[in-house]
Amino acid sequence: MAAAEGRNWEHPYVPKDLKLPDYVPCFLSQKDILVPYLGTSFLLVSLIWLFSGRSKLSKTDRLLMCWWAFTGLTHIILEGYFAFSPDFYKEKTPHFLAEVWKEYSKGDSRYAGRDAGIVTVEGITAVLEGPASLLAVYAIATRKPYSYILQFAVCLGQLYGCLIYFITAFLEGDNFATSPYYYWAYYVGANSSWVVIPLLIAIRNWKKITAAPQAEKKMKTR
């Protein structure tokens, strides 16, 4: 839907009495937003996979590098833009990052409404977890001894952020999506990766960390 200047647009979000002065509707369709985002993400993951293939890393480590590169840039670019752009819903040009958050707010209007808890969690995620995720890529690629504990720590941060995100929504009535479609596609679906994948990585790295003392003990008894 095209937006025009000088008109007072009614926002599509829930609740309807949410105050969004000078709101400007999306310029881009859902397809125009998702295709470039998914395409760019696929290209990034493909490049990391190809370049990591030149090393002697295991396939698991190469997949982990792909994940950490993707999630790190997502935290820094997408979530960083949201955290430090309070007026994104007023954007009068088709700025891609503003369009992303206008669209995503259909699944969780707390973003458009600048909920204090959401802004805090996203800000911390962008500033701390984003760079730490990219550091994990480097740590895995160069086989740094801190790789496992770093990945474990970032996973705990991501899981904690997701818990805060879902629990606060539940306590506030869990009524922030414009329709069941946006609820399941955006609120649940788009966030499920940051629950399932960090949980699996945390378990793997916890096993690696706790196995290290046992391996050292065996070496000493030989």
Side-chain angles (χ1 to χ4, degrees):
M1 176 171 52
E5 295 187 35
R7 175 174 175 180
N8 293 323
W9 295 90
E10 181 179 347
H11 69 73
Y13 309 124
V14 175
K16 287 297 184 181
D17 60 357
L18 178 66
K19 302 299 182 183
L20 295 177
D22 302 321
Y23 166 78
V24 177
C26 287
F27 290 84
L28 303 179
S29 67
Q30 182 186 61
K31 179 182 177 181
D32 291 334
I33 294 172
L34 289 179
V35 170
Y37 173 70
L38 295 176
T40 303
S41 299
F42 178 77
L43 178 61
L44 170 68
V45 169
S46 298
L47 289 174
I48 296 294
W49 178 260
L50 290 173
F51 281 114
S52 64
R54 299 180 178 181
S55 64
K56 295 181 180 180
L57 294 170
S58 67
K59 289 184 178 180
T60 299
D61 282 334
R62 292 171 64 194
L63 286 172
L64 286 171
M65 287 177 64
C66 292
W67 164 253
W68 288 121
F70 164 74
T71 193
L73 292 177
T74 298
H75 290 331
I76 293 171
I77 298 173
L78 277 184
E79 291 164 272
Y81 174 83
F82 165 76
F84 300 104
S85 302
D87 296 327
F88 71 87
Y89 64 85
K90 300 179 183 180
E91 183 62 50
K92 294 182 173 64
T93 61
H95 188 293
F96 184 76
L97 296 179
E99 295 294 288
V100 168
W101 290 112
K102 287 181 187 179
E103 178 67 20
Y104 181 78
S105 294
K106 296 175 183 177
D108 189 346
S109 63
R110 293 180 297 171
Y111 281 80
R114 304 296 293 175
D115 177 86
I118 294 296
V119 174
T120 301
V121 169
E122 295 289 15
I124 293 173
T125 299
V127 173
L128 297 181
E129 294 174 19
S133 297
L134 298 184
L135 180 59
V137 177
Y138 169 77
I140 295 171
T142 55
R143 298 182 174 86
K144 295 295 183 183
Y146 59 80
S147 172
Y148 296 131
I149 190 65
L150 173 63
Q151 292 180 72
F152 183 74
V154 179
C155 286
L156 289 185
Q158 291 176 326
L159 291 170
Y160 177 76
C162 286
L163 280 174
I164 296 297
Y165 180 67
F166 289 117
I167 290 174
T168 53
F170 174 77
L171 293 176
E172 293 172 5
D174 199 14
N175 183 32
F176 302 102
T178 59
S179 71
Y181 167 76
Y182 289 110
Y183 179 88
W184 290 104
Y186 291 176
Y187 177 71
V188 177
N191 291 289
S192 61
S193 296
W194 278 274
V195 175
V196 176
I197 296 177
L199 181 60
L200 294 175
I201 296 175
I203 293 171
R204 176 181 185 270
N205 285 284
W206 177 253
K207 291 179 179 179
K208 295 284 187 181
I209 294 168
T210 55
Q214 298 298 325
E216 185 178 354
K217 187 182 295 185
K218 289 182 180 179
M219 291 292 291
K220 290 180 178 180
T221 56
R222 287 182 180 177

